[in-house]
Amino acid sequence: MRTTRLVAALVLSALVSTACGKEGSPPTKGPAAEKLPEYRVATGFQLPQSSTWRKAKSRGRFIVGAKEDQPYLGEKDPATGTYSGFDIEIAKMISASLGLDPRRIEFRTIASANRETALQNGQIDYYVGTYTINDNRKKLVGFGGPYYLAGQGLLVRHDEDDIKGPGDLAGKRVCSAAGSTPYQRIQQEYPKATLVAYDTYSVCVDNLLTYQVDAVTTDDAILIGYAAKVPDELKVVGKPFSEEPYGIGVPRRDNALRLAIDDALAAGEKNGDWKKAYDATLGLSGVPAPKPPAIDRYPAN
Ligand code: GLU
């Protein structure tokens, strides 16, 4: 098992470094700093009703959960430890609006299956990492947003002709992340597919490149990033077959924090920071900035 994983990882890194030298391939060091918004830190901002905010304020920074292996969305530079991507920008926009310097955020990588526990245990103050808002999760955590609308898609090898949509997955090996909504959808709606789960989508992609699985499924926004890194090897096929509204996870009972995050997002969408952040990150995938979805300020439940 170990050897297979090592070989797979080597395959992906070799492919990625070949792709880097090519014309038109995306930057691997993250977005150009001068293209990113500079978020103004709100002075005198107070949110005493939020215990999460009070803790962060006395600590002097937010602790934010994120992903580290999702190109254009949440990526960690292994050399510097710096996180970048659209989700990371959203996290910074919120921190600044809530009166704390975004440069001081401490990011922690949390896998899809561990998000609810991390918020419930107070390991993180909020979470920004391709996190779909849904009613089941709302029983465990709160959600600010949504700030982006993705949809489930399929990633296959470039020479794959049989798989064009979820209806073609019968008898195929399909990889997704444990605890994710795309995993659950295949399990419930396409039971003839053979599901394989890992903690992260990048391990699924390694398995796809080494012919251990036939497809990787998750949100189109995530898959586009992997395909862009090795366009000669991988392609995204078909149309999105779900709606995945991305929210900012917060501790369930902290409604004050959730509504302050909604205000921060609304302000960032209005003053142009949201679009600027998108253009400098996820927009590099070639998809022009959409209109952000309506923010859902739902009543405390
Ligand atoms: N948006 C989906 C989810 O929250 C898939 C991406 C992810 O696992 O982060 O489950």
Side-chain angles (χ1 to χ4, degrees):
M1 189 63 196
R2 231 192 220 160
T3 339
T4 327
R5 280 223 188 126
L6 181 65
V7 170
L10 287 174
V11 171
L12 182 60
S13 50
L15 284 168
V16 169
S17 44
T18 328
C20 290
K22 277 186 202 154
E23 236 179 278
S25 58
T28 49
K29 287 271 181 250
E34 70 280 3
K35 296 257 165 75
L36 292 169
E38 278 208 29
Y39 307 106
R40 215 173 44 81
V41 182
T43 47
F45 179 89
Q46 295 289 331
L47 196 64
Q49 320 89 295
S50 163
S51 56
T52 315
W53 182 87
R54 286 200 309 270
K55 243 191 320 168
K57 181 75 180 167
S58 62
R59 183 195 299 130
R61 63 179 187 281
F62 278 114
I63 301 176
V64 177
K67 295 288 179 66
E68 66 170 37
D69 62 343
Q70 299 185 172
Y72 304 129
L73 288 157
E75 252 191 318
K76 183 177 170 181
D77 182 330
T80 60
T82 309
Y83 287 73
S84 65
F86 185 55
D87 285 334
I88 304 305
E89 292 305 312
I90 296 290
K92 289 181 178 170
M93 184 187 295
I94 290 165
S95 173
S97 234
L98 271 51
L100 289 165
D101 189 340
R103 289 169 303 189
R104 298 203 60 204
I105 294 177
E106 183 183 328
F107 286 103
R108 289 195 187 155
T109 300
I110 309 276
S112 297
N114 302 330
R115 293 182 280 212
E116 291 80 23
T117 349
L119 285 164
Q120 287 168 328
N121 296 346
Q123 264 171 275
I124 52 174
D125 299 323
Y126 56 95
Y127 186 95
V128 197
T130 61
Y131 197 9
T132 295
I133 305 172
N134 65 31
D135 289 343
N136 275 340
R137 289 175 177 168
K138 272 189 185 169
K139 293 178 191 145
L140 306 169
V141 300
F143 285 103
Y147 61 91
Y148 182 77
L149 182 63
Q152 186 167 352
L154 292 167
L155 182 74
V156 296
R157 285 180 298 271
H158 205 254
D159 56 3
E160 173 66 68
D161 295 325
D162 295 345
I163 303 174
K164 295 191 178 73
D168 304 323
L169 294 175
K172 303 284 185 188
R173 286 172 65 81
V174 185
C175 193
S176 197
S180 70
T181 48
Y183 179 91
Q184 280 160 14
R185 189 163 294 104
I186 299 295
Q187 192 174 43
Q188 284 158 14
E189 294 173 25
Y190 303 94
K192 289 192 179 135
T194 305
L195 259 172
V196 179
Y198 286 101
D199 285 347
T200 64
Y201 300 108
S202 54
V203 175
C204 283
V205 174
D206 286 343
N207 276 266
L208 180 63
L209 288 165
T210 51
Y211 291 76
Q212 316 289 310
V213 299
D214 304 304
V216 176
T217 188
T218 185
D219 305 334
D220 48 3
I222 302 173
L223 297 177
I224 282 171
Y226 293 124
K229 291 225 166 183
V230 283
D232 296 344
E233 308 293 327
L234 301 175
K235 64 184 178 189
V236 178
V237 287
K239 289 200 193 78
F241 51 98
S242 75
E243 286 201 345
E244 308 291 331
Y246 287 173
I248 292 125
V250 297
R252 180 162 178 260
R253 305 230 170 267
D254 203 334
N255 290 296
L257 179 67
R258 173 167 64 81
L259 296 172
I261 287 177
D262 284 341
D263 291 343
L265 272 178
E269 289 173 12
K270 202 164 168 218
N271 70 17
D273 281 352
W274 184 95
K275 174 154 192 313
K276 199 171 177 193
Y278 178 93
D279 287 344
T281 55
L282 199 46
L284 297 175
S285 68
V287 182
K291 205 165 101 60
I295 295 168
D296 177 20
R297 297 172 65 91
Y298 61 89
N301 60 357

